[in-house]
Amino acid sequence: MPLVCLSLTARTIAENLAVLERYRDNIDLAELRADLLDPSETFALRDFPSLAGLPCILAVRRKCDGGGFLDGEGQRLVMLAKAIAYARPDTSANYAYVDLENDFRVPSIEEACHTFGTRIIRSRHDIAGMPPDLDEAWSELALEPHEIPKLAVTPKSAADFATLFKWASSLPSGERIVVGMGEYGMPSRILADRLGSCLAYTSAIRAGLPLAAPGHLDPLALEETYRFRELTRETAFYALGGGPNVLTSKTPQLHNAAFKTAGINAVYVPLPSNDVSTFFSALEATGARGAAVTVPIKESVCASLARRSPEVDDIGACNTLVREGNEWVGYNTDAEGFERALLEFLGRSDLRGLRATLVGAGGVAKAIAHVLSNLGASALILNRTVSKARILAQRYGFAYGPCTEHSTELVADHADIIVQATSLGMEGERQGDPLDWYDFSGREAVFDLIYRPERSALLERAAAAGCRITNGWKMLRYQSAAQFKLWTGLEPPDSYFS
Ligand code: NAP
């Protein structure tokens, strides 16, 4: 099982030690990033391991390797020498490891490390991309059998991640560290064991320290959300594919908690992927058993599936993939999740006799239109790009219009339920209210699919006018529960519903 290493990035030793204390029970070792310390603090480097009271790595990362050290190599050499010199007989008072780059081969430092029992991590950091030849890069790092080779690269796509994963997982066994940095490399931190890495680096995000490297997770997230210490090479892998927004999705908490409750050895991890072919290459490389799919590949993925459920064919969008034999089969659980959440919200069993406005005509709006039609509502579809509203509306015999004040009367005529299904107002996206030109009467039931923030600008306004409101959190839970059932064949645990 890989060890969990906390990379400490505070400007003082005292602050690093205080942060370390918060995480002591959740980590196995600490990396002191001496390149980020105030210059006056470097005098105290030598004492850090005995103060920390757990095995420590010393790293003085240069700017060109993604660190903060700007001075020359001479000064770096002096800093390293001071930190590892005067070795103590009690080896726990010495650095257990020192990170030395592949192009930093200084015999006196190496000799001192060997003598004092400090292991060398021989590293290479590619902060701008992937090396053209991973084998060649590795062979330079793995020259000395007593050193631990470390390759940290920056995948720029899910295809790069697939290449890295396949390459690392086929290396012969042996102590090593392979890391994918950045958003596309983030899954490698959770799947460290599958890549054969002997440790996983983390940052003290919850303690407010700067990230030590892009894509780091907090040790508590690694443990609480991903059950890192329980993952093995046998753990079944499920992915969340889509744009980089997947990294902030709440669904890893939902699915991983459910796997734990149900006693299933599986993990669900965001796998950023902007196009379908690179996503599939990453699914194949990792041997994924299933996936959730979101914007921007929810619609384009349909053409690449061996089989599709009738809902996917009708809706034209797919949010769930299941590996059946050697094939990928597509399902849509957005529709099921929305239907259940909507009927619960309204306290009804269908929508016959009701008039609804659907705002948006993207991937999820297609599932909403399908549900509104199935439940018997008459609906109006508004969208910024009117042609998309028209195409969707015509499929179900609904009205359509632009998402502007020119549609005020149309909305007033379809105002029993208003469903907001655009990304406008979502945390991390452009803030706004797509209906800012419409005055709520207070009689509308307003369902905004956005759940972060808890109350969008539109919901705030609707609530102030006296409308009944709900956000997309329950829908997300219900559609996730349906995914669990498709992936495992089991009834979803209560954790999805409470
Ligand atoms: P999508 O396929 O990218 O569609 C985006 C929609 O938002 C389109 O209708 C688009 O209009 C509209 N839009 C984007 N920016 C806009 C702006 N600045 N002004 C006006 N309209 C804008 O995304 P999606 O998958 O349908 O998801 C839409 C939203 O639903 C997201 O916020 C997502 O988080 C949420 N969602 C929630 C759940 C849940 O379970 N609660 C499930 C799925 C999705 P154009 O067509 O003109 O570009």
Side-chain angles (χ1 to χ4, degrees):
M1 186 179 64
L3 303 175
V4 177
C5 173
L6 179 65
S7 292
L8 292 162
T9 58
R11 297 196 59 85
T12 67
I13 298 274
E15 194 186 344
N16 278 325
L17 288 168
V19 167
L20 174 63
E21 221 37 66
R22 283 181 59 170
Y23 290 95
R24 186 173 291 282
D25 294 343
N26 310 95
I27 61 172
D28 303 296
L29 63 166
E31 178 188 57
L32 180 63
R33 284 287 301 275
D35 51 298
L36 302 173
L37 288 171
D38 282 335
S40 59
E41 293 284 310
T42 57
F43 292 104
L45 277 183
R46 179 64 195 83
D47 294 329
F48 185 75
S50 53
L51 296 170
L54 84 180
C56 291
I57 304 174
L58 174 66
V60 191
R61 185 93 61 244
R62 297 172 298 202
K63 186 89 177 160
C64 62
D65 296 317
F69 193 79
L70 285 165
D71 293 332
E73 288 296 73
Q75 268 162 293
R76 207 157 72 102
L77 175 63
V78 171
M79 228 166 126
L80 286 162
K82 277 190 191 159
I84 59 174
Y86 314 110
R88 312 224 173 110
D90 171 9
T91 52
S92 68
N94 305 328
Y95 283 95
Y97 307 88
V98 60
D99 185 313
L100 301 179
E101 296 78 7
N102 186 34
D103 61 356
F104 186 85
R105 295 197 180 252
V106 179
S108 56
I109 293 280
E110 289 167 17
E111 196 48 45
C113 288
H114 299 160
T115 309
F116 305 149
T118 296
R119 302 278 311 276
I120 294 174
I121 296 175
R122 185 63 68 185
S123 68
R124 167 174 167 160
H125 296 81
D126 287 59
I127 56 172
M130 302 267 285
D133 186 334
L134 288 165
D135 283 327
E136 193 182 313
W138 190 250
S139 63
E140 289 172 8
L141 298 171
L143 284 175
E144 302 293 340
H146 49 271
E147 296 183 351
I148 302 172
K150 170 187 174 187
L151 181 63
V153 300
T154 308
K156 292 292 185 191
S157 66
D160 279 353
F161 172 73
T163 303
L164 178 69
F165 187 94
K166 261 205 310 227
W167 170 80
S169 50
S170 64
L171 284 173
S173 61
E175 253 181 320
R176 63 168 179 268
I177 303 166
V178 178
V179 174
M181 296 186 284
E183 52 198 21
Y184 291 100
M186 185 282 238
S188 72
R189 305 196 180 272
I190 299 160
L191 303 177
D193 197 28
R194 301 273 302 278
L195 277 86
S197 272
C198 60
L199 64 84
Y201 291 92
T202 59
S203 285
I205 299 168
R206 296 194 192 174
L209 289 192
L211 278 186
H216 271 195
L217 290 160
D218 187 279
L220 297 171
L222 208 53
E223 193 166 313
E224 290 165 7
T225 305
Y226 297 103
R227 306 192 332 278
F228 182 74
R229 291 177 196 276
E230 293 168 37
L231 306 183
T232 66
R233 287 173 188 225
E234 283 68 52
T235 302
F237 176 62
Y238 293 87
L240 166 60
N245 261 344
V246 297
L247 294 174
T248 55
S249 169
K250 293 269 188 212
T251 53
Q253 277 106 307
L254 290 175
H255 285 312
N256 289 320
F259 288 143
K260 183 182 165 77
T261 309
I264 296 173
N265 183 13
V267 67
Y268 169 89
V269 176
L271 188 62
S273 27
N274 273 319
D275 67 82
V276 172
S277 70
T278 61
F279 181 52
F280 275 111
S281 64
L283 292 183
E284 296 295 335
T286 51
R289 308 249 184 103
V293 178
T294 184
V295 64
I297 56 175
K298 235 177 193 174
E299 290 148 284
S300 49
V301 75
C302 295
S304 305
L305 299 168
R307 278 179 292 127
R308 296 178 291 268
S309 71
E311 286 79 20
V312 170
D313 277 333
D314 189 38
I315 292 166
C318 163
N319 78 331
T320 309
L321 306 185
V322 182
R323 189 76 172 167
E324 293 180 12
N326 285 327
E327 295 179 337
W328 285 107
V329 183
Y331 298 88
N332 191 309
T333 66
D334 279 336
E336 183 177 335
F338 173 69
E339 178 173 323
R340 180 166 175 180
L342 178 72
L343 293 178
E344 242 177 59
F345 170 54
L346 298 175
R348 296 178 62 113
S349 57
D350 64 44
L351 303 182
R352 270 176 291 186
L354 293 187
R355 296 174 71 76
T357 296
L358 166 59
V359 187
V364 77
K366 290 182 168 176
I368 307 303
H370 169 88
V371 172
L372 293 175
S373 168
N374 272 1
L375 293 176
S378 320
L380 160 72
I381 302 181
L382 304 181
N383 196 40
R384 177 178 61 177
T385 309
V386 188
S387 58
K388 284 167 69 181
R390 187 186 70 239
I391 292 166
L392 185 56
Q394 283 175 345
R395 198 185 300 170
Y396 298 104
F398 291 160
Y400 66 91
C403 197
T404 66
E405 66 275 15
H406 297 297
S407 297
T408 306
E409 280 180 22
L410 277 172
V411 178
D413 193 34
H414 294 81
D416 295 322
I417 311 160
I418 294 184
V419 183
Q420 197 301 113
T422 77
S423 44
L424 192 59
M426 190 166 83
E427 218 166 78
E429 298 282 321
R430 239 188 75 199
Q431 288 312 292
D433 171 351
L435 287 188
D436 57 3
W437 41 268
Y438 176 75
D439 289 326
F440 291 101
S441 68
R443 288 189 300 276
E444 303 89 341
V446 183
F447 191 132
D448 193 334
L449 265 60
I450 289 174
Y451 57 89
R452 268 182 330 195
E454 225 170 277
R455 271 193 185 196
S456 61
L458 174 119
L459 283 189
E460 285 290 4
R461 223 164 40 81
C467 300
R468 274 192 299 157
I469 61 161
T470 190
N471 69 15
W473 180 228
K474 271 196 173 173
M475 170 182 168
L476 187 82
R477 284 174 168 271
Y478 295 162
Q479 69 87 5
S480 298
Q483 289 179 322
F484 178 94
K485 191 167 182 179
L486 286 167
W487 290 334
T488 65
L490 301 173
E491 282 309 313
D494 288 346
S495 57
Y496 284 112
F497 306 105
S498 51

